[in-house]
Amino acid sequence: MASKRYKQLSEKIDNTKKYSVAEAAAFMQELKSANFDETVEIAMNLNVDPRHADQMVRGAIVLPHGTGKVVRVAVFAKGAKADEAKAAGADIVGTDDLVEQIQAGDINFDVVVAAPDCMGLVGKIGRILGPKGMMPNPKTGTVTPDVATAVNNVKGGQVAFRVDKKGNIHAGIGKVSFDAEKISENIKAFVTAINKQKPASAKGRYIKNAALSLTMSPAIKFDVAELADIK
């Protein structure tokens, strides 16, 4: 059952309206109600069938204004690559010792980056990292010989995205403490990345529905025709 606060926020929303990016970004202040810095969350439903490999939408984008979230990064690397990762600000760097740490359930980080020559080690913990959405992948820039750039990107506001089996994508693209212009620019950057990933085999309207909300708020609906034109 919806709370009184949630109902009050819902009454502020015109459910017959499709909001432009600028309107949606500005409206986030109207939906602010929690006593913490809520995350601005975008949700999209795409006209794709991820059961077909050529319709899997997956990638990553470094948002122009970051996510506002402090991200802890673990890196699988050795030798000079390990030194580069540490210099770039990685929170944890290791090889076999990091595997053991993860196997023991000590997962005090948000993102995993791996040098290609360490992927054999990472494979040992794939069953642990996979369900948590932490498995490194070349498509999201988290399997790379340039571990320093990967760490900088993740720390600087990189958002990884992957469509689920029903065609949905969900991501945090900022904080309610951001001004409307920064939220708007982050939305446009994220939507641009999604549009660039449109499969050649996808027919009809690519973005079927999209909405914006805060952690503790109801959602407002985007004008998807505008989103389709963001390149």
Side-chain angles (χ1 to χ4, degrees), residues 71-75 89-93 109-113 151 154-155:
V71 180
R72 288 181 57 81
V73 184
V75 179
D91 298 277
I92 305 165
V93 181
F109 46 82
D110 307 293
V111 177
V112 179
V113 170
V151 171
V154 172
K155 292 275 191 181

Side-chain angles (χ1 to χ4, degrees), residues 52-73:
H52 300 291
D54 63 348
Q55 291 198 32
M56 170 56 69
V57 177
R58 183 175 191 175
I61 175 71
V62 179
L63 299 176
H65 303 290
T67 62
K69 178 183 177 184
V70 176
V71 180
R72 288 181 57 81
V73 184

Side-chain angles (χ1 to χ4, degrees), residues 49-168:
D49 184 352
R51 292 176 298 178
H52 300 291
D54 63 348
Q55 291 198 32
M56 170 56 69
V57 177
R58 183 175 191 175
I61 175 71
V62 179
L63 299 176
H65 303 290
T67 62
K69 178 183 177 184
V70 176
V71 180
R72 288 181 57 81
V73 184
V75 179
F76 280 92
K78 51 193 174 185
K81 297 296 181 186
D83 294 336
E84 291 170 17
K86 290 174 184 175
D91 298 277
I92 305 165
V93 181
T95 51
D96 294 293
D97 55 332
L98 186 49
V99 169
E100 292 172 6
Q101 177 181 328
I102 293 168
Q103 288 173 332
D106 184 7
I107 303 175
N108 60 343
F109 46 82
D110 307 293
V111 177
V112 179
V113 170
D117 62 355
C118 287
M119 281 305 292
L121 284 172
V122 178
K124 296 179 180 180
I125 46 173
R127 290 183 180 179
I128 300 172
L129 297 179
K132 295 181 180 295
M134 290 183 173
M135 193 66 182
N137 187 285
K139 289 185 178 180
T140 59
T142 48
V143 177
T144 172
D146 190 354
V147 291
T149 295
V151 171
N152 285 326
N153 285 345
V154 172
K155 292 275 191 181
Q158 177 172 289
V159 174
F161 55 85
R162 178 177 180 170
V163 69
D164 68 14
K165 60 185 179 182
K166 293 185 178 180
N168 299 312

